[in-house]
Amino acid sequence: QASIFSECETADTRRAMGLRDDVIEAAGRLAEYRPVTVIIDSLDVLSLAREHRVLDYFLSLIDRFSLIPRVTVVAACRNYDRKYDHRLKNRDWGKIVVLGPLEWETQVLPLLNEWAIDPKLLAPVMRDLLVNPRMLAIFDEIVRRGSVPTAGTMQDLTECYLSSVVLNDMALGAPAMAHLERIAMEMLKLRRMSLPTVQAGIPERLMNPLLSAGVIVESGERAITFGHQTILDVLVVRAAFRERKTLLDFICSQPATPFARPAIRGFFFYLRSVDINGFRGQVRAALMDRNVAFQIKRLIAESLAEFDPEDTDWPLIKHIYLNHLELFKGFYFATKRRSEEHTSELQSRVDISYAVFCLKK
């Protein structure tokens, strides 16, 4: 699990976290007797880490493993991090397998039946969420605590989870949630996936219940992290909305580093779900502002391609086409990638705009 080494910059710290010095040699010896598969999870977390040396170390491990006969390496990474980090994007991975959603009929329905949940009572948007393994696990945890959540987005469902596990727990409640939001903002500011326990400053009466619930976990010696990275992103967005920040405010409140990308995407998608009219104006403002880095603008434009468009979205798309041609190219190719998986009205209508764009070029 590479994410637990995201702060380990030296051999001593990696060794302290349990990564043996002779891991290459050990795999080689085992491969003399049988084929060996090495699985390295969460390269995206290493990509977001402050120190590039951590990711570089694991990439060198992959290279060295790959030289050993009968050793196969499987590395996992979120797709948009793989596309944005040049160290991941420009590598020859041999074969890239994009994991799709779970199968509703064969994988999700049997679990719902086991949990005594009538799938007919779930809204279509909930069905779309539950084919995501992480969202299905969150849904399960909420159901185990006695309620069936309704949500329209990943942010909504994760907030339902936090409400069920933290806010509604008499041992935790609002004080614990305030601590979690503060810690999330601190991690985002410091670009760290974990904090020393002393720096986190969670009272012991709250720490043990949070650890038991799996909201936070111990990361190495005297440090804590969230049970899943999405919790950090949701807490940061939750805090920003409570402070009435706009998308531009949120972007400008932090350095334009890779670490901020998931939180910006989280804010972007949540804003779309709760204020679709304000969303378009805020996207325009962010794209027009000179203080927003181009890589963040590109992230916004490409993320826009993930929505099924409404008729009122086309003025925004036209605005990008007329005023931000390079961003429009990124948006267009993102719709192309999406259309390879799903036929969509978005692609057919954007094709027309792109044809005009190419003629102008």
Side-chain angles (χ1 to χ4, degrees):
Q1 179 51 266
S3 60
I4 67 174
F5 300 97
S6 60
E7 305 291 334
C8 298
E9 303 170 23
T10 66
D12 289 340
T13 55
R14 290 191 293 269
R15 192 182 309 115
M17 292 294 292
L19 184 58
R20 51 195 287 179
D21 293 335
D22 65 341
V23 63
I24 299 291
E25 293 79 3
R29 289 194 296 270
L30 186 58
E32 294 176 4
Y33 300 96
R34 65 195 65 165
V36 174
T37 301
V38 179
I39 302 174
I40 301 179
D41 193 16
S42 302
L43 287 184
D44 50 293
V45 175
L46 302 184
S47 170
L48 299 177
R50 295 181 305 163
E51 293 293 337
H52 293 173
R53 286 176 292 180
V54 182
L55 177 59
D56 291 340
Y57 170 78
F58 275 88
L59 292 179
S60 71
L61 271 189
I62 292 173
D63 290 336
R64 293 167 67 193
F65 277 128
S66 301
L67 295 175
I68 305 174
R70 302 211 301 173
V71 172
T72 301
V73 181
V74 177
C77 180
R78 286 185 301 192
N79 200 36
Y80 69 84
D81 286 302
R82 180 181 63 82
K83 292 185 299 181
Y84 271 81
D85 192 318
H86 68 91
R87 292 164 296 171
L88 300 174
K89 179 181 180 180
N90 297 330
R91 283 181 70 90
D92 179 9
W93 290 104
K95 185 175 181 61
I96 295 175
V97 179
V98 179
L99 297 183
L102 298 172
E103 277 287 336
W104 176 260
E105 295 290 339
T106 60
Q107 295 176 301
V108 179
L109 272 184
L111 289 174
L112 295 179
N113 292 332
E114 182 180 324
W115 302 335
I117 302 295
D118 184 353
K120 295 179 182 178
L121 300 179
L122 298 176
V125 67
M126 274 298 294
R127 294 179 51 155
D128 293 340
L129 287 175
L130 295 185
V131 294
N132 178 302
R134 173 61 185 166
M135 295 298 104
L136 185 62
I138 284 178
F139 181 85
D140 174 37
E141 184 65 34
I142 299 171
V143 169
R144 288 176 186 272
R145 292 172 180 267
S147 63
V148 179
T150 57
T153 66
M154 292 184 183
Q155 175 87 21
D156 292 335
L157 189 55
T158 307
E159 286 206 27
C160 288
Y161 163 77
L162 290 171
S163 294
S164 176
V165 174
V166 180
L167 284 177
N168 297 340
D169 189 316
M170 294 182 63
L172 296 171
M177 186 65 78
H179 279 289
L180 293 175
E181 288 184 7
R182 175 182 55 78
I183 290 170
M185 295 298 290
E186 186 75 3
M187 287 181 178
L188 184 63
K189 177 182 177 182
L190 297 175
R191 291 176 285 157
R192 300 176 66 111
M193 293 303 301
S194 64
L195 280 181
T197 305
V198 173
Q199 185 176 349
I202 302 178
E204 189 172 343
R205 64 182 176 82
L206 300 177
M207 176 71 82
N208 291 333
L210 286 171
L211 287 169
S212 297
V215 178
I216 59 175
V217 296
E218 292 178 318
S219 173
E221 296 184 0
R222 299 180 293 278
I224 61 168
T225 186
F226 288 108
H228 196 275
Q229 184 180 346
T230 55
I231 297 178
L232 185 155
D233 301 332
V234 166
L235 287 167
V236 166
V237 172
R238 175 189 174 95
F241 266 83
R242 194 181 61 256
E243 296 172 3
R244 300 183 181 278
K245 288 186 176 180
T246 65
L247 177 62
L248 180 58
D249 294 335
F250 186 69
I251 292 171
C252 292
S253 65
Q254 51 204 300
T257 61
F259 195 92
R261 286 199 304 258
I264 291 173
R265 276 174 56 89
F267 191 105
F268 176 87
F269 287 115
Y270 189 58
L271 176 63
R272 170 78 176 198
S273 71
V274 298
D275 184 11
I276 192 168
N277 293 320
F279 165 84
R280 301 184 188 101
Q282 291 192 35
V283 169
R284 285 195 186 205
L287 295 180
M288 295 293 289
D289 194 281
R290 294 182 178 179
N291 294 318
V292 177
F294 180 81
Q295 61 172 341
I296 300 299
K297 293 181 180 181
R298 187 181 69 171
L299 177 69
I300 292 172
E302 293 184 1
S303 297
L304 186 65
E306 298 181 32
F307 296 121
D308 288 327
E310 299 184 3
D311 286 340
T312 47
D313 285 323
W314 294 105
L316 172 59
I317 295 174
K318 182 179 179 181
H319 168 81
I320 297 173
Y321 162 64
L322 293 175
N323 297 280
H324 309 280
L325 287 180
E326 287 303 312
L327 297 178
F328 182 82
K329 285 176 64 177
F331 165 74
Y332 172 77
F333 286 114
T335 67
K336 273 289 192 186
R337 289 190 295 269
R338 183 182 173 199
S339 69
E340 292 173 359
E341 303 172 9
H342 314 283
T343 57
S344 82
E345 175 194 9
L346 177 61
Q347 181 58 46
S348 59
R349 295 179 71 174
V350 169
D351 270 334
I352 299 172
S353 295
Y354 192 69
V356 176
F357 166 72
C358 289
L359 286 173
K360 283 192 172 183
K361 293 291 284 186

